[in-house]
């Protein structure tokens, strides 16, 4: 294992910090892939569904554009179509589409909640 690779506990800490700092009542201040600010109830539902989707971080081989594969960390269960991953070398979360070859990065990157919210 690469000594610079994150441990699951570090990824969980990043997510816990996001959850702690996320203010559903400040929805008009957050960009969650929407053109129009979403109401506080939408943000509360997003947080609830995000918490329910969280899993223990697990390493998964991920396909990127150009045919590159790399080990990332899955942090949410699959919806059957999507899941949220952590890309360690970029220190960013990513939305991946499920394929028969495993998760495929689709270029939606950012903090974990916003990435999850992009399909909410």
């Amino acid at each position: 294992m690469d000594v610079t690779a994150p441990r699951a506990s570090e990824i969980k800490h990043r997510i816990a910090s996001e959850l702690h700092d996320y203010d559903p009542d400040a929805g008009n201040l957050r960009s969650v892939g929407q053109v129009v600010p979403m109401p506080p109830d939408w943000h509360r539902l997003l947080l609830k569904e995000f918490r329910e989707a969280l899993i223990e971080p697990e390493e998964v081989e991920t396909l990127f554009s150009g045919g590159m594969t790399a080990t990332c960390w899955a942090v949410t269960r699959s919806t059957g179509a999507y899941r949220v991953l952590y890309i360690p070398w970029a220190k960013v979360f990513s939305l991946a589409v499920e394929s028969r070859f495993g998760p495929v990065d689709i270029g939606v990157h950012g903090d974990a909640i916003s990435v999850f919210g992009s399909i909410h």
Side-chain angles (χ1 to χ4, degrees):
M1 181 174 149
D2 180 0
V3 293
T4 62
R7 294 189 315 261
S9 61
E10 294 167 350
I11 297 167
K12 288 169 56 173
H13 178 74
R14 285 181 67 128
I15 292 170
S17 293
E18 281 188 38
L19 287 167
H20 177 267
D21 295 343
Y22 194 107
D23 180 2
D25 295 313
N28 60 338
L29 303 177
R30 284 191 58 90
S31 171
V32 190
Q34 303 294 327
V35 175
V36 180
M38 301 305 283
D41 286 344
W42 183 90
H43 289 276
R44 286 186 192 94
L45 181 60
L46 170 65
L47 289 174
K48 176 184 177 292
E49 291 179 357
F50 178 70
R51 283 185 175 102
E52 290 171 353
L54 285 173
I55 60 171
E56 282 294 314
E58 61 185 28
E59 291 182 314
V60 293
E61 274 305 300
T62 305
L63 181 63
F64 290 84
S65 63
M68 179 185 100
T69 61
T71 301
C72 295
W73 292 79
V75 298
T76 65
R77 70 182 45 85
S78 174
T79 65
Y82 300 99
R83 71 169 51 203
V84 177
L85 307 176
Y86 180 72
I87 304 173
W89 70 88
K91 296 184 170 124
V92 69
F93 291 91
S94 168
L95 188 63
V97 67
E98 298 291 349
S99 80
R100 64 182 177 156
F101 305 108
V104 178
D105 175 85
I106 59 172
V108 176
H109 301 135
D111 64 82
I113 298 170
S114 293
V115 168
F116 183 83
S118 69
I119 57 164
H120 188 262

